[in-house]
Amino acid sequence: MKDIDAIAVLQDPVRRRLYEYVVAQGREVGRNEAAEGVGVARTLAAHHLDKLTEAGLLESGSRRLTGRSGPGAGRPAKVYMRARGERSVSLPARDYRTAAELLAEAAEQAGLDAGLCAAARRRGEVLRDAAGVCGGLEEAVEMLAARGYEPYMERAEGAVADVVRMRNCPFHAVAESFPPLVCGMNLALLEGLLGTDGPVRARMDARPGECCVVVEASKNNEH
C-alpha cells in the first residue's frame, strides 16, 4: 500500500483514536483494552484495528492476556502495536532523508560534531525564545509532545523522581546510520529547547526502541 493510501486510512475518527491509543501505550494492546480506551464496542474496535493492520500502520500478533499457560489458560488473544516502518507523504515528491544522510556523513567525516551541536543548541534556544526556560517536567512533556517526541512520565523502581522518556525520535532514520553524531545533535537541541539553567535538564540514557535522551529534574532543584 502506498504511503498516501495508508495515511488516508486515519481519516476515520474512530480509527484515528484507536491508532493514537495503541501508539500511546508503547506495548501490545488487546482488542478489549483498545475498545475501552476509546469508548467503542469491541466488534467495532476489532474491525478498525484490523484495517489499520492491513494498511501497515499497526502490526498484530497473538498471546494469552491472562499471563497463564497450559490447560484453562484460555485461547490467545489478538494484540496490536505500532508498525516499525515509517510513512510520509510529500507532494510533489521530496527526498529530505537522503539529503540529511549526506550532510550527516560529511559532518562526521569532517569531524564537525562540536559545530553541529552548537548549531542545534542555538536552534533549540530559538524555538523556545517566546516561552522562556521550561518551568518543570509537566511543561517539558507539553513542549516535547508538540515536537513529535511522544513523551511519557516514568518513575523507575527505587527512584525518587519522575523521568520523562520519549517513545519517538524525530531523527530516527538518520540516527540509525550515524548514532553518535545525530544523538549528540538531538541532546544539544533539547538542551537549547528546555534550557540548561532551569528546573529540568536533558541527558543521554539510551533505551532500545526509544529516543536516546531523557529529561529529569535538575540536581539543584531536587529536594
Side-chain angles (χ1 to χ4, degrees):
M1 180 178 286
K2 294 180 180 180
D3 285 2
I4 192 168
D5 295 326
I7 293 172
V9 169
L10 295 173
Q11 277 192 308
D12 183 285
V14 174
R15 202 170 292 166
R16 185 178 183 88
R17 294 207 315 271
L18 283 164
Y19 175 77
E20 290 173 344
Y21 180 84
V22 172
V23 168
Q25 307 316 303
R27 55 174 171 78
E28 294 176 334
V29 175
R31 288 172 167 174
N32 287 341
E33 180 188 349
E36 292 174 6
V38 302
V40 299
R42 182 185 183 280
T43 51
L44 181 61
H47 168 74
H48 286 304
L49 289 167
D50 286 340
K51 287 293 183 182
L52 289 165
T53 303
E54 291 173 12
L57 297 172
L58 296 180
E59 294 177 357
S60 64
S62 61
R63 66 176 176 84
R64 288 188 172 90
L65 300 177
T66 61
R68 296 179 295 163
S69 60
R75 293 187 303 172
K78 200 163 187 178
V79 292
Y80 303 83
M81 64 185 302
R82 175 163 51 187
R84 289 182 286 270
E86 297 181 10
R87 300 284 186 175
S88 63
V89 175
S90 177
L91 299 173
R94 298 288 187 261
D95 189 4
Y96 299 114
R97 175 174 175 174
T98 297
E101 289 176 344
L102 288 171
L103 290 168
E105 182 179 357
E108 188 173 76
Q109 291 179 353
L112 299 178
D113 304 54
L116 176 61
C117 287
R121 192 171 290 107
R122 289 194 299 271
R123 174 57 63 91
E125 291 169 353
V126 169
L127 291 172
R128 72 166 166 89
D129 184 58
V133 175
C134 178
L137 290 180
E138 291 185 0
E139 187 177 333
V141 168
E142 294 178 3
M143 295 171 71
L144 294 166
R147 304 212 63 79
Y149 282 92
E150 297 181 7
Y152 67 97
M153 300 279 262
E154 176 186 85
R155 177 166 292 181
E157 186 176 350
V160 297
D162 291 327
V163 170
V164 178
R165 291 190 174 273
M166 295 164 267
R167 292 194 176 94
N168 183 50
C169 171
F171 316 110
H172 172 72
V174 186
E176 279 192 314
S177 301
F178 307 93
L181 181 77
V182 177
C183 290
M185 177 200 75
N186 188 26
L187 174 61
L189 178 69
L190 293 183
E191 287 175 340
L193 179 68
L194 302 172
T196 56
D197 54 357
V200 302
R201 68 169 185 140
R203 65 175 175 85
M204 288 287 194
D205 187 10
R207 176 186 286 183
E210 295 190 351
C211 180
C212 59
V213 179
V214 299
V215 178
E216 62 186 7
S218 299
K219 297 297 182 183
N220 57 1
N221 282 277
E222 292 179 351
H223 299 285

